[in-house]
């Protein structure tokens, strides 16, 4: 397993968030209808008091972002909102290692399951998460009239 670390996202390093998110144009189009995201959108998503946002680091390189909440008030589950690897770093096992670090963190808190949402049409994400042991739970409305498939993995 590749050794990854998490580093808290900060406003001073928002340009790195922008680089990572900008390298995933297909995802951006699927989520927001645009290839690129504004700095204001990134601040709102990754610098807020509701979620925990971290860079995924390999040694001194920033290879991705992970964003999660400890407990969704609607269903009381921890939710992994985003795990994104820089476009040119995908396929190297960084996502798998980052997810395992996150899952270990959740286990340490005594939780027994994790939930995620997969945007409809994101076949790459669906394949990735199903290979990690997640199973479909239900479909929910998402922003801008889109839908998201909710998945769960029991970890306890």
């Amino acid at each position: 397993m590749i050794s990854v670390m998490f580093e808290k996202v900060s406003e001073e390093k928002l340009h790195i968030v922008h680089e990572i998110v900008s390298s995933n144009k297909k995802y951006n189009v699927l989520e927001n209808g645009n290839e690129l995201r504004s700095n204001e959108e990134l601040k709102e998503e990754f610098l807020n008091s509701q979620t925990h946002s971290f860079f995924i680091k390999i040694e001194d390189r920033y290879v991705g972002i992970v964003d999660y909440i400890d407990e969704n008030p609607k269903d009381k589950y921890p939710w992994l909102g985003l795990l994104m690897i820089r476009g040119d770093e995908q396929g190297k096992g960084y996502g798998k290692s980052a997810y395992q670090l996150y899952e270990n963190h959740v286990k340490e808190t005594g939780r027994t399951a994790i939930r995620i949402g997969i945007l409809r049409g994101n076949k790459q994400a669906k394949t990735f998460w199903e290979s990690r042991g997640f199973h479909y739970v239900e479909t929910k409305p998402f922003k801008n009239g889109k839908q998201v498939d909710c998945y769960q993995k029991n970890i306890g």
Side-chain angles (χ1 to χ4, degrees):
M1 181 87 42
I2 298 163
S3 179
V4 299
M5 299 179 311
F6 290 163
E7 177 185 309
K8 186 93 173 124
V9 169
S10 65
E11 190 157 0
E12 298 77 36
K13 294 187 178 176
L14 196 63
H15 65 282
I16 299 170
V17 172
H18 196 270
E19 291 171 11
I20 294 167
V21 172
S22 294
S23 73
N24 286 278
K25 291 179 178 17
K26 285 183 184 177
Y27 176 82
N28 292 331
V29 169
L30 196 58
E31 183 184 27
N32 299 301
N34 298 311
E35 286 188 355
L36 300 175
R37 306 275 303 278
S38 72
N39 280 338
E40 284 307 311
E41 289 173 308
L42 297 177
K43 280 183 188 178
E44 188 176 313
E45 185 168 347
F46 298 109
L47 296 173
N48 64 71
S49 61
Q50 290 80 41
T51 67
H52 304 285
S53 301
F54 292 91
F55 290 111
I56 300 166
K57 289 183 71 176
I58 304 293
E59 297 171 355
D60 62 345
R61 293 182 305 127
Y62 296 93
V63 299
I65 302 170
V66 62
D67 184 69
Y68 64 89
I69 58 174
D70 294 323
E71 182 177 280
N72 183 326
K74 294 177 183 174
D75 63 14
K76 307 300 182 206
Y77 283 93
W79 277 78
L80 178 59
L82 181 71
L83 191 158
M84 177 182 279
I85 302 298
R86 185 186 301 264
D88 62 350
E89 297 283 8
Q90 293 177 7
K92 299 178 181 178
Y94 301 153
K96 292 175 186 174
S97 295
Y99 171 72
Q100 194 58 57
L101 182 60
Y102 168 73
E103 182 181 299
N104 291 344
H105 163 73
V106 173
K107 282 180 181 176
E108 289 171 4
T109 68
R111 299 305 197 126
T112 59
I114 296 169
R115 288 199 169 170
I116 60 168
I118 301 173
L119 291 169
R120 281 279 173 98
N122 192 344
K123 294 176 184 168
Q124 183 180 357
K126 183 178 183 230
T127 299
F128 176 84
W129 291 114
E130 287 177 345
S131 75
R132 305 269 72 71
F134 281 82
H135 64 276
Y136 174 81
V137 175
E138 63 184 328
T139 300
K140 294 277 196 177
F142 190 59
K143 58 187 172 185
N144 302 325
K146 297 179 188 261
Q147 292 187 317
V148 64
D149 290 331
C150 303
Y151 280 69
Q152 179 174 314
K153 179 179 181 182
N154 297 323
I155 59 172

